[in-house]
Amino acid sequence: MSSTLTRRHFVAGTLSGLSAGAWLASGCAPSVRRTDQAAEPAQGYQIGCYTRPWADQDYRVALDAIAEAGFRYCGLMNAKGGFILSLRATLEQASQAGEEARRRGLRVLSAYGGDIPLDSVAGAVAGLRKLIDHCAAAGSANLLMGGVGDEKVYGIYYKAIAECCDYAAEKKVSISLKPHGGLNATGRQLRRTIEEVGHRNFRVWYDAGNVYYYSDGRLEPVQDAADVSGLVAGWCIKDYLPPKNVDVTPGTGKVDFAGVLAVLRQGGFTRGPLVVETLARGDLPARLAEARKARAFVERLVSA
């Protein structure tokens, strides 16, 4: 570890519930930008990777791997102990996570913090504002939401989003909704929800792998993507293999990424975040190799 990072500073910066031992044992230290990072794609897409493939590790291990795999961008999702920017985290911890990304030459494109309280609109708004504050502190340009599956709380959930869109815009954070089962499993459901909220700071973050997953492989993402034409602000790059597997390196599963991208481009998604969410499982060296493959695949995809 760098001599400038004392044990006291390390402990203070560690997220609640995350294990410092895994990070120390890995030999990873706060890193500078890797020399093998890919050139910025001329097409204007920002290619990144979420921390999810390293969910069994301290989030710093994930950031090290993302940088070493050549990505310029990252997304904060889960790590050992839970979601990095969950409601349990503090503003200081969120800021520290963003700083750790920057030390590795990474810019945070998106963050997923999990659920918000749904006992009341006021409680939901308070929880959502906290997640937005976390994103702003971490330097994340987007807060990714998973939606709900219970019709009883549907109104509370999206009323809170509607009330927080302006607040998020003031913080320079966009809010997005992905296909995630329940009442937002398909493009048609996503369009309905986006139009009901009716705010330009609330858009779709597409996920073709989830469209397959939650439809048990029956709904073709190329067809589904047409239903969100003009509403897409980002894309979770996730593949799928039947019967129920999304721990798949992009380009090795069933998703027709080129076909989906063609549909999204027709709707105006000609630039923006493309963030790898899942990879094939394996030990740390294997995951690093899969991350490199995923980056190369997405680069070829947007260059075609």
Side-chain angles (χ1 to χ4, degrees), residues 33-117:
R33 178 172 294 173
R34 306 289 184 177
T35 58
D36 60 343
Q37 282 182 319
E40 188 76 20
Q43 291 76 11
Y45 291 105
Q46 301 161 308
I47 300 172
C49 185
Y50 283 106
T51 58
R52 177 176 169 176
W54 298 270
D56 60 335
Q57 303 289 322
D58 183 279
Y59 77 95
R60 296 167 181 83
V61 175
L63 294 178
D64 273 334
I66 291 168
E68 192 168 351
F71 290 97
R72 291 178 178 271
Y73 302 95
C74 68
L76 302 178
M77 198 169 271
N78 45 342
K80 190 170 185 178
F83 294 115
I84 298 167
L85 300 190
S86 73
L87 292 178
R88 293 187 297 110
T90 67
L91 205 61
E92 180 181 4
Q93 290 164 346
S95 178
Q96 178 67 23
E99 178 59 28
E100 294 289 351
R102 287 188 291 275
R103 287 178 184 176
R104 292 157 174 80
L106 298 169
R107 176 182 164 193
V108 183
L109 292 177
S110 174
Y112 183 83
D115 297 328
I116 56 176

Side-chain angles (χ1 to χ4, degrees), residues 158-294:
Y158 292 107
K159 176 67 172 173
I161 287 178
E163 291 193 13
C164 288
C165 281
D166 285 335
Y167 179 79
E170 291 172 3
K171 298 282 186 174
K172 295 181 170 43
V173 176
S174 64
I175 305 175
S176 62
L177 180 68
K178 69 183 302 189
H180 203 242
L183 299 175
N184 51 290
T186 69
R188 184 173 298 179
Q189 290 173 313
L190 289 166
R191 174 169 286 279
R192 170 201 164 194
T193 299
I194 297 296
E195 291 177 348
E196 285 179 351
V197 171
H199 197 290
R200 292 186 61 82
N201 202 36
F202 182 48
R203 286 293 180 262
V204 170
W205 202 273
Y206 202 62
D207 187 330
N210 272 8
V211 170
Y212 266 140
Y213 182 88
Y214 289 104
S215 69
D216 295 322
R218 292 189 295 268
L219 181 57
E220 169 56 56
V222 174
Q223 298 173 358
D224 179 76
D227 287 329
V228 293
S229 179
L231 300 178
V232 175
W235 185 4
C236 284
I237 303 298
K238 182 190 296 177
D239 217 328
Y240 166 86
L241 284 172
K244 290 289 245 186
N245 183 17
V246 291
D247 289 318
V248 180
T249 299
T252 63
K254 188 177 177 180
V255 171
D256 177 3
F257 286 96
V260 173
L261 182 59
V263 173
L264 297 183
R265 277 174 166 164
Q266 289 173 2
F269 183 62
T270 57
R271 60 180 59 244
L274 306 174
V275 191
V276 175
E277 185 177 341
T278 53
L279 301 168
R281 294 181 179 180
D283 59 17
L284 291 179
R287 277 179 271 182
L288 176 58
E290 294 304 304
R292 288 189 171 121
K293 292 177 186 176

